[in-house]
Amino acid sequence: MLVSWVLLVVLAGGLVALLFAFAKTRWIYRQKVDHPVLVEVSGHIAEGAMTFLGREFKVLSPFVLVVALLLAVGNQGALRWQGAAFLVGALASALSGYLGMRVATAANARTAYAAKEKGLGEALQVAFSGGTVMGMSVVGLALVGLFIVLYAAIAMFGVDEAALADIMLPMGTAFSLGASSIALFSRVGGGIFTKAADVGADLVGKVEAGIPEDDPRNPATIADNVGDNVGDVAGMGADLFESFVGSIVGAMILGLAVTADPDMKLKLMLLPLLVAVVGVLSSVAGTALVRAKSGSDPQKALNMGTMGAAGLAVLLVLGLLYLVVGGGTFNGGAGMYHLFGATVIGLVAGVVIGQITEYYTGTGKKPVLSILKACETGSATTLISGLGVGMRSTFPTVLVITVGIFGSFMLAGLYGVGIAAVGMLMTLGIQLAVDAYGPIADNAGGLAEMAELPRSVRKITDSLDAVGNTTAAIGKGFAIGSAALTAIILLSSFRDQTGLIDVEITDPRVLVGVLIGSVIPFLFSALAMSAVGTAAHEMIAEVRRQFREHPGILTGMEKPDYRRCVDISTRSALREMLVPGLVAIASPVLVGFLGGISMLIGLLTGATITGVALAIFMSNSGGAWDNAKKMAEADENIGKGSDPYKAAVVGDTVGDPFKDTAGPALNILIKLMSMVSLVIAPMLKAFWG
């Protein structure tokens, strides 16, 4: 009975999030855009984005169906239903990306028009509301999807401990696997799309032709703006969707295994679901705090919302723990205050990681200023300086992650680590809203340029965009931090599911697994970077061709063929995303069945360690290069077309696939590998006896 009631609360929390997203959607569509050029260009962006998403889903549909079939055939008994749960997870993840991106492509023109007619405050409100739809759609669909899968499982197979452990939670892992699979392909495919367009637009447009960013004469401009949506809205949404679900399911598995007390065991299993609901309510409340006036700092307004949501979440979690756990204990005396401490550790760790990321990538910060200074001596020193910034940034970030893991473990064991991971993602609704705000603001700036709106408008959109660059970098840091904690609990859950008690690090099988796992992130990154290079080559050739064959484009007498560039990015992204995705899915399956459970644990360990560090390095290097270029563009002493400016553009061009393709996809990689392992755990257990 308790399980059913909790799941109904989860359903209610998911519906609250979706209704809030629906209300924000209606409000955005009511904002007028009385400017024909804004409407036209925004329509091109929306058309390109939805076309890409539709073609991506068509490409992924056979893969999703095949995996679902394999799960249905490869399992026995009730676990055959994992195939259906996988389909629900994939559908929910895809739907969240679709909803978020559809609204984002409508909010961009409305943000630019609001900046023109009403100023900074209203423009911020429109852009943030567009991001809010993405954030609330993700958490809402995640909770509703979990409800469907888990409620169906208990309705068919009951709520006794054996059914919960052997059927209900494996259904949850299959749901999470479906979400993770879509997330990886969305992130990699979106990243390839946007960076191919971005590189083509920057190198040919800015460096060779000497025209400004977002200039309507650049054939790759529309594709670049489309890419912002498919990569940083749909891709990031799918990424954090699977992080959110994975952390909840992993913590639930640990909760069921952490104590022998049947009553406490049930409460600990259900607690992550209730913490997630509390986070949804806190995120909804936090959005009301995001307000800005003309001349104020948009970053402060966004910080007010996230901090307010975090503060409210802390208070609500304390009350929740009192109601659910009360005076009960587990793991040698750990109780509600230990769990509260672990939750707060997760929340604080997420905030601190964000602040570290902001320091290393923020406009006007010392690391970015050092890169800007290096631009004076050319592209080589710009690249060296940016690489150094990224490498330095890994140490404090990893230190925070390790302190978070160790601190939560000391409080409540492995279950404490699980609750810390859920706590870090608890306010995901508003965290993702802030992150998705960035590409909307970026698009608004591009639209203002293409519509030739007054300079005062572009000044407002530039201020919003500059903040958006920082929020995007913070979002990536946040995603990486959550990935590390989620991977830990998924690895622990895998160990419990396979019944492997002890793992000897000196065991050759474990060491071989660690070595193979440690190079998987490098192989994956290499494939993703190469894919961007291949796609960018096609884009550069096309932009040059249009400039060469149609000289009237640069004089403003002819319109570029935007659709051709969008089609190139789409075809390249869909073609090149498949191999990196298959590496992530196939490697744990092959190692598990060929090398055994111990070798697979080694593989997951190695991939997690190098994947986290490499993701931080690549994301922060790219973010720092990007903002150094922004500062070069805004600096009147650095003329556009000058050698320092060209050096800054080169740095940004190298950093683009770092921060928007390979880097962010790595956190999905390490979680997906763990989730695949968790799903095949019953098969491995039966195979190896």
Side-chain angles (χ1 to χ4, degrees), residues 109-163:
R110 289 164 171 82
T111 300
Y113 193 74
K116 175 179 177 291
E117 296 294 318
K118 299 180 181 179
L120 175 68
E122 191 68 18
L124 172 67
Q125 205 57 236
V126 176
F128 178 70
S129 295
T132 299
V133 174
M134 180 79 256
M136 294 303 170
S137 295
V138 164
V139 295
L141 286 168
L143 292 180
V144 171
L146 278 172
F147 166 79
I148 292 171
V149 169
L150 299 180
Y151 198 85
I154 65 169
M156 289 189 292
F157 304 107
V159 291
D160 60 277
E161 186 176 328

Short mmCIF file of all heavy atoms in Angstrom, two decimals, residues 109-163:
data_model
loop_
_atom_site.label_atom_id
_atom_site.label_comp_id
_atom_site.label_asym_id
_atom_site.label_seq_id
_atom_site.Cartn_x
_atom_site.Cartn_y
_atom_site.Cartn_z
N ALA A 109 12.86 34.49 -31.07
CA ALA A 109 12.39 35.72 -31.70
C ALA A 109 11.66 36.61 -30.71
O ALA A 109 11.78 37.84 -30.74
CB ALA A 109 11.48 35.39 -32.88
N ARG A 110 10.90 36.00 -29.82
CA ARG A 110 10.16 36.76 -28.82
C ARG A 110 11.10 37.43 -27.82
O ARG A 110 10.80 38.52 -27.32
CB ARG A 110 9.15 35.84 -28.11
CG ARG A 110 7.99 35.44 -29.03
CD ARG A 110 7.20 34.26 -28.49
NE ARG A 110 6.00 34.04 -29.28
CZ ARG A 110 5.95 33.39 -30.43
NH1 ARG A 110 7.08 32.90 -30.96
NH2 ARG A 110 4.82 33.24 -31.08
N THR A 111 12.23 36.79 -27.54
CA THR A 111 13.23 37.42 -26.67
C THR A 111 13.82 38.65 -27.34
O THR A 111 13.97 39.70 -26.71
CB THR A 111 14.35 36.41 -26.33
OG1 THR A 111 13.80 35.27 -25.66
CG2 THR A 111 15.41 37.05 -25.44
N ALA A 112 14.19 38.52 -28.62
CA ALA A 112 14.75 39.66 -29.35
C ALA A 112 13.75 40.81 -29.45
O ALA A 112 14.11 41.98 -29.26
CB ALA A 112 15.18 39.21 -30.75
N TYR A 113 12.48 40.48 -29.72
CA TYR A 113 11.47 41.53 -29.83
C TYR A 113 11.19 42.19 -28.48
O TYR A 113 10.98 43.40 -28.40
CB TYR A 113 10.18 40.96 -30.42
CG TYR A 113 9.21 42.03 -30.86
CD1 TYR A 113 9.44 42.76 -32.03
CD2 TYR A 113 8.07 42.33 -30.11
CE1 TYR A 113 8.55 43.74 -32.44
CE2 TYR A 113 7.19 43.30 -30.51
CZ TYR A 113 7.43 44.01 -31.68
OH TYR A 113 6.55 45.00 -32.09
N ALA A 114 11.19 41.39 -27.41
CA ALA A 114 10.99 41.95 -26.08
C ALA A 114 12.13 42.88 -25.71
O ALA A 114 11.93 43.92 -25.07
CB ALA A 114 10.89 40.81 -25.05
N ALA A 115 13.37 42.54 -26.12
CA ALA A 115 14.51 43.42 -25.88
C ALA A 115 14.34 44.74 -26.60
O ALA A 115 14.71 45.81 -26.08
CB ALA A 115 15.80 42.73 -26.33
N LYS A 116 13.78 44.70 -27.80
CA LYS A 116 13.55 45.91 -28.59
C LYS A 116 12.45 46.78 -28.00
O LYS A 116 12.59 48.01 -27.91
CB LYS A 116 13.19 45.53 -30.03
CG LYS A 116 12.82 46.70 -30.94
CD LYS A 116 12.50 46.22 -32.34
CE LYS A 116 12.06 47.34 -33.26
NZ LYS A 116 10.75 47.89 -32.90
N GLU A 117 11.36 46.16 -27.58
CA GLU A 117 10.18 46.92 -27.16
C GLU A 117 10.15 47.24 -25.66
O GLU A 117 9.68 48.30 -25.26
CB GLU A 117 8.92 46.14 -27.53
CG GLU A 117 8.72 45.95 -29.03
CD GLU A 117 8.47 47.27 -29.75
OE1 GLU A 117 7.72 48.10 -29.21
OE2 GLU A 117 9.04 47.46 -30.85
N LYS A 118 10.66 46.32 -24.83
CA LYS A 118 10.47 46.46 -23.39
C LYS A 118 11.76 46.45 -22.57
O LYS A 118 11.72 46.75 -21.38
CB LYS A 118 9.52 45.37 -22.89
CG LYS A 118 8.13 45.44 -23.52
CD LYS A 118 7.22 44.35 -23.01
CE LYS A 118 5.85 44.41 -23.66
NZ LYS A 118 4.96 43.32 -23.17
N GLY A 119 12.88 46.05 -23.15
CA GLY A 119 14.14 46.12 -22.44
C GLY A 119 14.61 44.81 -21.83
O GLY A 119 14.04 43.74 -22.07
N LEU A 120 15.63 44.90 -21.00
CA LEU A 120 16.33 43.74 -20.46
C LEU A 120 15.43 42.82 -19.64
O LEU A 120 15.44 41.60 -19.81
CB LEU A 120 17.51 44.21 -19.61
CG LEU A 120 18.28 43.11 -18.85
CD1 LEU A 120 19.03 42.21 -19.82
CD2 LEU A 120 19.25 43.70 -17.84
N GLY A 121 14.65 43.41 -18.72
CA GLY A 121 13.86 42.59 -17.80
C GLY A 121 12.90 41.66 -18.51
O GLY A 121 12.82 40.47 -18.19
N GLU A 122 12.16 42.19 -19.48
CA GLU A 122 11.20 41.37 -20.20
C GLU A 122 11.90 40.35 -21.10
O GLU A 122 11.43 39.21 -21.23
CB GLU A 122 10.28 42.27 -21.04
CG GLU A 122 9.08 41.55 -21.64
CD GLU A 122 8.06 41.11 -20.59
OE1 GLU A 122 8.11 41.65 -19.47
OE2 GLU A 122 7.25 40.23 -20.89
N ALA A 123 12.99 40.75 -21.71
CA ALA A 123 13.74 39.82 -22.57
C ALA A 123 14.26 38.64 -21.75
O ALA A 123 14.19 37.49 -22.19
CB ALA A 123 14.90 40.54 -23.25
N LEU A 124 14.79 38.92 -20.56
CA LEU A 124 15.26 37.85 -19.67
C LEU A 124 14.11 36.92 -19.31
O LEU A 124 14.27 35.70 -19.30
CB LEU A 124 15.88 38.44 -18.42
CG LEU A 124 16.24 37.44 -17.30
CD1 LEU A 124 17.37 36.52 -17.75
CD2 LEU A 124 16.63 38.15 -16.02
N GLN A 125 12.95 37.50 -19.03
CA GLN A 125 11.80 36.70 -18.63
C GLN A 125 11.37 35.75 -19.73
O GLN A 125 11.04 34.58 -19.47
CB GLN A 125 10.64 37.62 -18.24
CG GLN A 125 9.66 37.00 -17.29
CD GLN A 125 10.29 36.51 -15.98
OE1 GLN A 125 10.20 35.43 -15.61
NE2 GLN A 125 10.93 37.31 -15.29
N VAL A 126 11.37 36.21 -20.97
CA VAL A 126 10.97 35.36 -22.09
C VAL A 126 11.97 34.23 -22.29
O VAL A 126 11.61 33.06 -22.44
CB VAL A 126 10.81 36.18 -23.38
CG1 VAL A 126 10.50 35.26 -24.56
CG2 VAL A 126 9.72 37.24 -23.23
N ALA A 127 13.27 34.58 -22.30
CA ALA A 127 14.31 33.57 -22.51
C ALA A 127 14.30 32.53 -21.40
O ALA A 127 14.40 31.32 -21.65
CB ALA A 127 15.68 34.24 -22.61
N PHE A 128 14.18 33.00 -20.15
CA PHE A 128 14.18 32.07 -19.02
C PHE A 128 12.92 31.19 -19.03
O PHE A 128 12.98 30.01 -18.69
CB PHE A 128 14.29 32.83 -17.70
CG PHE A 128 14.24 31.95 -16.49
CD1 PHE A 128 15.30 31.10 -16.20
CD2 PHE A 128 13.14 31.95 -15.65
CE1 PHE A 128 15.26 30.26 -15.09
CE2 PHE A 128 13.09 31.13 -14.54
CZ PHE A 128 14.15 30.29 -14.25
N SER A 129 11.80 31.77 -19.41
CA SER A 129 10.56 30.98 -19.48
C SER A 129 10.69 29.88 -20.52
O SER A 129 10.20 28.76 -20.32
CB SER A 129 9.37 31.89 -19.83
OG SER A 129 9.13 32.82 -18.77
N GLY A 130 11.36 30.19 -21.65
CA GLY A 130 11.61 29.15 -22.64
C GLY A 130 12.46 28.02 -22.08
O GLY A 130 12.20 26.84 -22.31
N GLY A 131 13.50 28.39 -21.31
CA GLY A 131 14.32 27.38 -20.65
C GLY A 131 13.54 26.59 -19.61
O GLY A 131 13.76 25.39 -19.42
N THR A 132 12.61 27.27 -18.92
CA THR A 132 11.79 26.62 -17.90
C THR A 132 10.96 25.49 -18.48
O THR A 132 10.77 24.45 -17.85
CB THR A 132 10.88 27.65 -17.21
OG1 THR A 132 11.68 28.66 -16.58
CG2 THR A 132 10.01 27.00 -16.15
N VAL A 133 10.45 25.68 -19.69
CA VAL A 133 9.69 24.62 -20.34
C VAL A 133 10.54 23.37 -20.51
O VAL A 133 10.09 22.25 -20.25
CB VAL A 133 9.15 25.10 -21.70
CG1 VAL A 133 8.47 23.95 -22.44
CG2 VAL A 133 8.18 26.26 -21.52
N MET A 134 11.80 23.55 -20.92
CA MET A 134 12.71 22.42 -21.05
C MET A 134 12.94 21.74 -19.71
O MET A 134 12.81 20.53 -19.59
CB MET A 134 14.04 22.92 -21.62
CG MET A 134 15.10 21.83 -21.81
SD MET A 134 14.89 20.82 -23.29
CE MET A 134 14.23 19.33 -22.60
N GLY A 135 13.27 22.54 -18.70
CA GLY A 135 13.57 21.99 -17.38
C GLY A 135 12.41 21.23 -16.78
O GLY A 135 12.56 20.10 -16.28
N MET A 136 11.23 21.82 -16.81
CA MET A 136 10.07 21.19 -16.21
C MET A 136 9.56 20.01 -17.04
O MET A 136 9.02 19.05 -16.48
CB MET A 136 8.95 22.22 -16.01
CG MET A 136 9.31 23.31 -15.00
SD MET A 136 9.75 22.61 -13.39
CE MET A 136 10.39 24.04 -12.56
N SER A 137 9.72 20.06 -18.34
CA SER A 137 9.35 18.92 -19.18
C SER A 137 10.21 17.71 -18.86
O SER A 137 9.71 16.57 -18.79
CB SER A 137 9.49 19.28 -20.66
OG SER A 137 8.59 20.30 -21.04
N VAL A 138 11.50 17.94 -18.66
CA VAL A 138 12.42 16.85 -18.34
C VAL A 138 12.04 16.17 -17.03
O VAL A 138 11.86 14.95 -16.97
CB VAL A 138 13.88 17.36 -18.31
CG1 VAL A 138 14.79 16.35 -17.60
CG2 VAL A 138 14.39 17.60 -19.71
N VAL A 139 11.93 16.96 -15.94
CA VAL A 139 11.64 16.34 -14.64
C VAL A 139 10.22 15.77 -14.61
O VAL A 139 9.97 14.73 -13.99
CB VAL A 139 11.87 17.33 -13.48
CG1 VAL A 139 13.34 17.71 -13.39
CG2 VAL A 139 11.01 18.58 -13.60
N GLY A 140 9.29 16.46 -15.29
CA GLY A 140 7.92 15.97 -15.30
C GLY A 140 7.79 14.65 -16.02
O GLY A 140 7.18 13.70 -15.50
N LEU A 141 8.36 14.54 -17.22
CA LEU A 141 8.28 13.30 -17.98
C LEU A 141 9.08 12.18 -17.32
O LEU A 141 8.70 11.01 -17.41
CB LEU A 141 8.77 13.53 -19.41
CG LEU A 141 7.81 14.32 -20.31
CD1 LEU A 141 8.49 14.74 -21.60
CD2 LEU A 141 6.57 13.48 -20.62
N ALA A 142 10.17 12.53 -16.65
CA ALA A 142 10.95 11.52 -15.93
C ALA A 142 10.11 10.89 -14.82
O ALA A 142 10.07 9.66 -14.67
CB ALA A 142 12.22 12.15 -15.35
N LEU A 143 9.43 11.72 -14.03
CA LEU A 143 8.62 11.20 -12.93
C LEU A 143 7.39 10.45 -13.44
O LEU A 143 7.05 9.39 -12.91
CB LEU A 143 8.20 12.35 -12.01
CG LEU A 143 9.34 13.01 -11.21
CD1 LEU A 143 8.80 14.14 -10.33
CD2 LEU A 143 10.09 12.00 -10.36
N VAL A 144 6.73 10.98 -14.46
CA VAL A 144 5.57 10.29 -15.01
C VAL A 144 5.99 8.96 -15.64
O VAL A 144 5.31 7.94 -15.47
CB VAL A 144 4.84 11.18 -16.05
CG1 VAL A 144 3.77 10.38 -16.79
CG2 VAL A 144 4.21 12.39 -15.36
N GLY A 145 7.12 8.95 -16.34
CA GLY A 145 7.61 7.72 -16.94
C GLY A 145 7.96 6.67 -15.90
O GLY A 145 7.62 5.48 -16.04
N LEU A 146 8.64 7.09 -14.83
CA LEU A 146 8.96 6.17 -13.74
C LEU A 146 7.69 5.63 -13.10
O LEU A 146 7.60 4.44 -12.78
CB LEU A 146 9.82 6.87 -12.68
CG LEU A 146 11.32 6.95 -12.97
CD1 LEU A 146 12.01 7.84 -11.95
CD2 LEU A 146 11.96 5.56 -12.97
N PHE A 147 6.69 6.49 -12.92
CA PHE A 147 5.42 6.03 -12.36
C PHE A 147 4.81 4.94 -13.23
O PHE A 147 4.38 3.89 -12.73
CB PHE A 147 4.43 7.20 -12.24
CG PHE A 147 3.01 6.76 -11.99
CD1 PHE A 147 2.60 6.37 -10.73
CD2 PHE A 147 2.10 6.69 -13.04
CE1 PHE A 147 1.30 5.92 -10.50
CE2 PHE A 147 0.79 6.25 -12.83
CZ PHE A 147 0.40 5.87 -11.56
N ILE A 148 4.75 5.16 -14.54
CA ILE A 148 4.14 4.19 -15.45
C ILE A 148 4.84 2.84 -15.34
O ILE A 148 4.19 1.79 -15.21
CB ILE A 148 4.19 4.71 -16.90
CG1 ILE A 148 3.27 5.93 -17.06
CG2 ILE A 148 3.79 3.61 -17.89
CD1 ILE A 148 3.41 6.63 -18.40
N VAL A 149 6.16 2.86 -15.40
CA VAL A 149 6.93 1.61 -15.40
C VAL A 149 6.83 0.90 -14.05
O VAL A 149 6.55 -0.31 -13.98
CB VAL A 149 8.40 1.90 -15.76
CG1 VAL A 149 9.26 0.66 -15.52
CG2 VAL A 149 8.51 2.34 -17.21
N LEU A 150 7.05 1.63 -12.96
CA LEU A 150 7.07 1.02 -11.64
C LEU A 150 5.67 0.58 -11.19
O LEU A 150 5.50 -0.48 -10.59
CB LEU A 150 7.68 1.98 -10.62
CG LEU A 150 9.13 2.40 -10.89
CD1 LEU A 150 9.64 3.35 -9.81
CD2 LEU A 150 10.04 1.18 -11.00
N TYR A 151 4.66 1.41 -11.48
CA TYR A 151 3.29 1.06 -11.09
C TYR A 151 2.80 -0.16 -11.87
O TYR A 151 2.13 -1.03 -11.30
CB TYR A 151 2.35 2.24 -11.32
CG TYR A 151 1.04 2.13 -10.56
CD1 TYR A 151 0.94 2.55 -9.24
CD2 TYR A 151 -0.09 1.59 -11.16
CE1 TYR A 151 -0.25 2.44 -8.53
CE2 TYR A 151 -1.28 1.47 -10.46
CZ TYR A 151 -1.35 1.90 -9.15
OH TYR A 151 -2.52 1.78 -8.43
N ALA A 152 3.16 -0.22 -13.14
CA ALA A 152 2.78 -1.39 -13.95
C ALA A 152 3.44 -2.65 -13.40
O ALA A 152 2.82 -3.72 -13.35
CB ALA A 152 3.19 -1.16 -15.40
N ALA A 153 4.69 -2.53 -12.96
CA ALA A 153 5.42 -3.68 -12.42
C ALA A 153 4.77 -4.22 -11.15
O ALA A 153 4.56 -5.43 -11.01
CB ALA A 153 6.87 -3.30 -12.15
N ILE A 154 4.42 -3.32 -10.22
CA ILE A 154 3.82 -3.81 -8.97
C ILE A 154 2.38 -4.28 -9.19
O ILE A 154 1.90 -5.17 -8.49
CB ILE A 154 3.87 -2.75 -7.84
CG1 ILE A 154 3.02 -1.53 -8.19
CG2 ILE A 154 5.30 -2.33 -7.55
CD1 ILE A 154 2.83 -0.60 -6.99
N ALA A 155 1.69 -3.68 -10.16
CA ALA A 155 0.33 -4.12 -10.46
C ALA A 155 0.31 -5.54 -11.00
O ALA A 155 -0.58 -6.33 -10.72
CB ALA A 155 -0.32 -3.16 -11.47
N MET A 156 1.34 -5.89 -11.79
CA MET A 156 1.40 -7.23 -12.39
C MET A 156 2.03 -8.26 -11.47
O MET A 156 1.63 -9.43 -11.47
CB MET A 156 2.18 -7.16 -13.71
CG MET A 156 1.44 -6.46 -14.83
SD MET A 156 2.27 -6.62 -16.46
CE MET A 156 3.75 -5.66 -16.18
N PHE A 157 3.03 -7.84 -10.67
CA PHE A 157 3.83 -8.83 -9.95
C PHE A 157 3.85 -8.67 -8.43
O PHE A 157 4.53 -9.41 -7.74
CB PHE A 157 5.26 -8.80 -10.48
CG PHE A 157 5.34 -9.00 -11.96
CD1 PHE A 157 5.64 -7.95 -12.82
CD2 PHE A 157 5.07 -10.24 -12.52
CE1 PHE A 157 5.70 -8.13 -14.19
CE2 PHE A 157 5.14 -10.44 -13.90
CZ PHE A 157 5.44 -9.38 -14.74
N GLY A 158 3.14 -7.69 -7.90
CA GLY A 158 3.03 -7.54 -6.46
C GLY A 158 4.11 -6.65 -5.86
O GLY A 158 4.98 -6.12 -6.56
N VAL A 159 4.05 -6.50 -4.51
CA VAL A 159 4.95 -5.59 -3.81
C VAL A 159 5.77 -6.29 -2.73
O VAL A 159 6.32 -5.64 -1.84
CB VAL A 159 4.17 -4.41 -3.16
CG1 VAL A 159 3.60 -3.49 -4.20
CG2 VAL A 159 3.07 -4.93 -2.24
N ASP A 160 5.89 -7.60 -2.79
CA ASP A 160 6.76 -8.26 -1.84
C ASP A 160 8.21 -7.96 -2.18
O ASP A 160 8.53 -7.51 -3.28
CB ASP A 160 6.52 -9.78 -1.84
CG ASP A 160 6.78 -10.40 -3.20
OD1 ASP A 160 5.86 -10.35 -4.06
OD2 ASP A 160 7.90 -10.88 -3.43
N GLU A 161 9.12 -8.21 -1.22
CA GLU A 161 10.51 -7.80 -1.39
C GLU A 161 11.15 -8.42 -2.63
O GLU A 161 11.91 -7.78 -3.35
CB GLU A 161 11.33 -8.19 -0.15
CG GLU A 161 12.76 -7.66 -0.20
CD GLU A 161 13.54 -7.96 1.07
OE1 GLU A 161 12.93 -8.01 2.15
OE2 GLU A 161 14.77 -8.15 0.96
N ALA A 162 10.86 -9.70 -2.88
CA ALA A 162 11.44 -10.36 -4.05
C ALA A 162 10.99 -9.69 -5.35
O ALA A 162 11.80 -9.47 -6.26
CB ALA A 162 11.05 -11.83 -4.06
N ALA A 163 9.71 -9.33 -5.42
CA ALA A 163 9.20 -8.67 -6.63
C ALA A 163 9.81 -7.29 -6.81
O ALA A 163 10.14 -6.88 -7.92
CB ALA A 163 7.67 -8.55 -6.57
#
